[in-house]
């Protein structure tokens, strides 16, 4: 027995005791996470399996199985919201990633090394979402908005435009605001990745006679593969969550032209009081976000074991 004990590596006993005690220290945090995350998710899943409604101030939850999810398939409002969401997500992600990359390339230039540029860049992202939406609501105002005033002075329009009066135009105006707000964070993400690229690669490329475009294509872009993937996934998750901009700017109008899945879930739940159906919509959004989050975690930690 003594020989076996002596054969153990130094510190093995301490590690064993730590492994036994660690769950006790983690238990409070795990309980809090269960209360804050697991319980609402499980309750939302249960609620989506009921035909929940308010009756005499009480929430009545008769079990309905998968009826709410079956109803999603043939609901025209869900189809329209899904199309708006897909359009919003694709355009927003492409716009933010492209503008973020261009901004990062400019900030990575030696002439833009002043840290003040980065501070100004982060201002749109730092503004509170509701304050940002209210600001742009005044900018878009058809009579008093600065956008109409500026375009009239430049001669680009000959009369005031109701920017949020047409369904498709309103959706694009909301997209413009979201791109403006989201680009700074993605630009900083790309800037950090650019600064980690060894300068020796660019010096070697210049020695070999590579042009600026070839250096960008064969050195910069391949080095940014992981950063671009992370940016796309993060921005997709955030675009699925968009709510405050639509609530403040358009309330889903005009003619439901700016209703996306997240806003539809809110309206069904709190305006129409269809709690079970709203929970089903929210769960679909949650599932999509969860799958994207799993991909994001894999990209952030590519060496993690994937299980057997």
């Amino acid at each position: 027995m003594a020989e076996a004990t002596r054969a153990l590596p130094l510190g093995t006993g301490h590690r064993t005791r730590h492994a036994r005690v660690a769950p006790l220290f983690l238990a409070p945090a795990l309980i809090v996470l269960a209360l804050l995350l697991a319980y609402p998710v499980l309750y939302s899943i249960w609620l989506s399996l009921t035909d929940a409604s308010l009756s005499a101030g009480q929430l009545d939850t008769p079990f309905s199985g998968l009826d709410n999810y079956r109803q999603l398939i043939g609901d025209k409002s869900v189809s329209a919201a899904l199309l708006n969401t897909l359009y919003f997500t694709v355009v927003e992600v492409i716009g933010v990633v492209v503008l973020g990359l261009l901004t990062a390339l400019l900030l990575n230039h030696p002439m833009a090394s002043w840290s003040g540029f980065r501070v100004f860049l982060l201002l749109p992202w730092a503004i509170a979402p509701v304050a940002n939406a209210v600001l742009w609501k005044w900018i878009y105002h058809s009579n008093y908005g600065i956008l109409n005033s500026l375009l009239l002075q430049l001669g680009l329009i000959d009369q005031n435009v109701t920017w949020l009066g047409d369904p498709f135009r309103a959706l694009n105006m909301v997209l413009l605001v979201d791109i403006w707000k989201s680009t700074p964070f993605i630009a900083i993400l790309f800037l950090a990745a650019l600064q980690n690229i060894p300068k020796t690669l660019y010096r070697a490329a210049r020695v070999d006679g590579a042009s600026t475009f070839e250096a960008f294509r064969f050195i910069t872009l391949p080095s940014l593969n992981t950063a671009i993937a992370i940016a796309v996934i993060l921005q997709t998750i955030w675009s699925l969550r968009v709510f405050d901009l639509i609530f403040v700017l358009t309330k889903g109008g005009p003619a439901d032209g700016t209703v996306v899945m997240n806003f539809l879930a809110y309206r069904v739940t709190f305006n129409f009081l269809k709690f079970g159906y709203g929970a089903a919509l929210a769960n679909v959004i949650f599932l999509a976000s969860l799958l994207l989050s799993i991909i994001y975690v894999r990209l952030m930690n590519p060496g993690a074991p994937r299980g057997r």
Side-chain angles (χ1 to χ4, degrees):
M1 186 68 179
E3 293 178 358
T5 304
R6 286 195 299 270
L8 290 174
L10 185 62
T12 300
H14 291 288
R15 287 198 295 269
T16 304
R17 286 195 295 271
H18 290 166
R20 293 173 181 174
V21 176
L24 297 177
F25 288 100
L26 291 174
L30 294 176
I31 293 173
V32 171
L33 284 176
L35 292 175
L36 294 179
L37 298 177
Y39 175 74
V41 170
L42 293 176
Y43 184 74
S44 176
I45 294 173
W46 158 250
L47 199 62
S48 69
L49 301 176
T50 67
D51 187 17
S53 61
L54 282 175
S55 177
Q58 299 293 325
L59 185 63
D60 187 23
T61 57
F63 184 76
S64 61
L66 297 176
D67 288 350
N68 288 321
Y69 293 97
R70 295 191 189 98
Q71 187 180 345
L72 291 176
I73 299 174
D75 193 335
K76 293 182 179 180
S77 62
V78 174
S79 301
L82 182 60
L83 289 176
N84 286 340
T85 303
L86 290 174
Y87 174 78
F88 189 95
T89 300
V90 171
V91 176
E92 199 259 4
V93 170
I94 293 175
V96 169
V97 170
V98 171
L99 288 177
L101 180 56
L102 292 175
T103 304
L105 290 171
L106 290 174
L107 290 176
N108 197 45
H109 194 276
M111 294 181 64
S113 59
W114 180 51
S115 60
F117 287 129
R118 302 175 193 181
V119 175
F120 288 121
L121 175 66
L122 282 174
L123 283 178
W125 182 72
I127 298 175
V130 174
N132 175 60
V134 172
L135 170 67
W136 279 91
K137 188 172 185 178
W138 278 104
I139 292 175
Y140 286 152
H141 197 284
S142 58
N143 295 323
Y144 312 112
I146 191 175
L147 181 58
N148 273 332
S149 176
L150 181 62
L151 293 179
L152 284 170
Q153 291 179 15
L154 293 175
L156 298 177
I157 58 175
D158 54 7
Q159 62 181 358
N160 287 343
V161 177
T162 306
W163 297 106
L164 302 177
D166 176 77
F168 186 65
R169 182 193 295 155
L171 183 61
N172 284 288
M173 292 297 102
V174 176
L175 259 170
L176 178 63
V177 178
D178 200 49
I179 291 173
W180 177 81
K181 180 172 176 56
S182 302
T183 297
F185 178 83
I186 300 302
I188 295 298
L189 175 68
F190 284 146
L191 182 60
L194 284 171
Q195 292 178 342
N196 284 328
I197 301 175
K199 303 299 181 184
T200 54
L201 295 178
Y202 293 104
R203 288 196 290 268
R206 284 196 298 269
V207 169
D208 291 340
S211 64
T212 302
F213 176 75
E214 289 173 335
F216 174 77
R217 179 183 175 185
F218 295 108
I219 298 176
T220 305
L221 277 183
S223 301
L224 293 177
N225 279 343
T226 302
I228 291 174
I230 291 172
V232 169
I233 293 171
L234 279 179
Q235 207 54 48
T236 303
I237 294 172
W238 292 338
S239 65
L240 291 175
R241 293 169 42 209
V242 66
F243 172 81
D244 39 39
L245 290 178
I246 293 174
F247 183 82
V248 175
L249 288 173
T250 65
K251 294 290 194 300
D256 289 348
T258 57
V259 172
V260 293
M261 291 291 288
N262 204 23
F263 187 84
L264 180 63
Y266 161 82
R267 189 167 69 175
V268 166
T269 304
F270 297 104
N271 289 357
F272 303 153
L273 301 180
K274 295 181 178 179
F275 297 102
Y277 194 50
L281 280 167
N283 288 336
V284 171
I285 301 170
F286 169 75
L287 180 61
S289 300
L290 178 63
L291 293 175
L292 289 169
S293 299
I294 292 172
I295 297 173
Y296 169 73
V297 170
R298 292 296 187 187
L299 287 172
M300 287 293 291
N301 191 15
R306 299 176 181 269
R308 296 180 180 179

